[in-house]
Amino acid sequence: MIITIIFFKIVEAVTERSKMLCICSPNNPTGTYISKRVMHHLLDVLPKHMLVLFDAAYSQFATASDYTNGLEFVRAGYPLIVLQTFSKIYGLAGLRVGFGAASADIIKHIMKVKEPFNVNALAQVAAAAALQDDEHVQLSLQSNTRGREQLYHAFQELRLPFIESMSNFILVELGPNAKLIYEQLLNKGIIVRYGGIWQLPHHVRVSIGKEEENTAFIKELTEILASQNLFEWS
Ligand SMILES: *Cc1c(COP(=O)(O)O)cnc(C)c1O
C-alpha cells in the first residue's frame, strides 16, 4: 500500500523538465525498498528521455523475495544506471571504490567527463578480489539478518516504533528525547546516527552490529529509557 503511494508520488512529481530520477533501494535512512513489480511499472511509465539512477549500496543486505538490485532492468535495456559500492557489505569504505552498471550507450556519455585514474589501481584489485569472496558476503548477510531480528525484538519489548529494514540499519523512534538519548548512548561509547540531519528529530538510525554489540546497545538503551521514566514520574 505504502509503495503504491510512493509510485504515484514519483509519477506525479515528474514533468517534461525532469531529466533524472534517483532511487535508493534499500533506502537510507529508512531501510525501505521498492519492489521489483513497482520498479518495472515505474520504468514503463517514465518518459523515455529520463535516466534512472538506482543506488543499490545496501542491496546485499536485502532478503525480501520481491527485492531487485536493478541489474535485470539494465540487462533488459531500460535507461538506468545501477550504482554499487564496496563500502558496505564488503567493508572496504577506506578504499573509495564502487562501480556503475548501465548500457554502453549511457556509459559512453559518462566516459566523456570521467577523470583519468579516478579509482586507484590497488583499490580496483581489492574490489575485484572482494567480488569473489562469497563466503564473507554470506556470513555478513546472515549475521545482519539475525541482528535485525534481535533489534526488532528488543524494540518491540521496549514499545519503540521502528521501520522494518532491508538494510544494515534500523530507523527507530525514540520520541522528543531522542537527541538526549543519542547523547547518553554516545557517553556510554555507543554511536548511533541522530535523525536530525534527515529532519527526523524523534528518530535515530541504529546500525546492526555483532550479536554482543547489539546486546550491549539494547542494555544501555533499556537503562537510559528506564532512568528517563523515573525522571518523568518524579
Ligand atoms: C554508503 C552509501 C553509498 C556509497 O558510498 P561510498 O562513497 O561508496 O562509500 C551510496 N549511497 C548510499 C545511500 C550510501 O549509504
Side-chain angles (χ1 to χ4, degrees), residues 41-104:
H41 203 37
L42 197 55
L43 287 165
D44 280 336
V45 300
L46 285 177
K48 287 293 154 257
H49 68 272
M50 266 182 81
L51 176 68
V52 176
L53 186 151
F54 192 92
D55 186 342
Y58 298 98
S59 63
Q60 294 85 358
F61 296 108
T63 49
S65 58
D66 60 346
Y67 174 75
T68 176
N69 64 10
L71 288 175
E72 63 197 293
F73 297 114
V74 172
R75 290 196 187 97
Y78 284 100
L80 86 161
I81 177 161
V82 171
L83 299 185
Q84 275 292 346
T85 179
F86 289 90
S87 298
K88 303 292 155 66
I89 204 163
Y90 296 105
L92 301 175
L95 289 181
R96 316 306 315 136
V97 54
F99 65 88
S103 68

Side-chain angles (χ1 to χ4, degrees), residues 74-143:
V74 172
R75 290 196 187 97
Y78 284 100
L80 86 161
I81 177 161
V82 171
L83 299 185
Q84 275 292 346
T85 179
F86 289 90
S87 298
K88 303 292 155 66
I89 204 163
Y90 296 105
L92 301 175
L95 289 181
R96 316 306 315 136
V97 54
F99 65 88
S103 68
D105 194 47
I106 292 171
I107 301 288
K108 183 177 80 190
H109 295 290
I110 297 172
M111 291 313 253
K112 290 183 204 160
V113 292
K114 182 186 88 71
E115 287 181 29
F117 312 117
N118 61 343
V119 178
N120 81 68
L122 283 178
Q124 292 187 45
V125 170
L131 283 178
Q132 304 298 319
D133 196 350
D134 284 335
E135 195 188 341
H136 166 80
V137 172
Q138 280 311 315
L139 290 175
S140 301
L141 172 64
Q142 284 164 19
S143 163

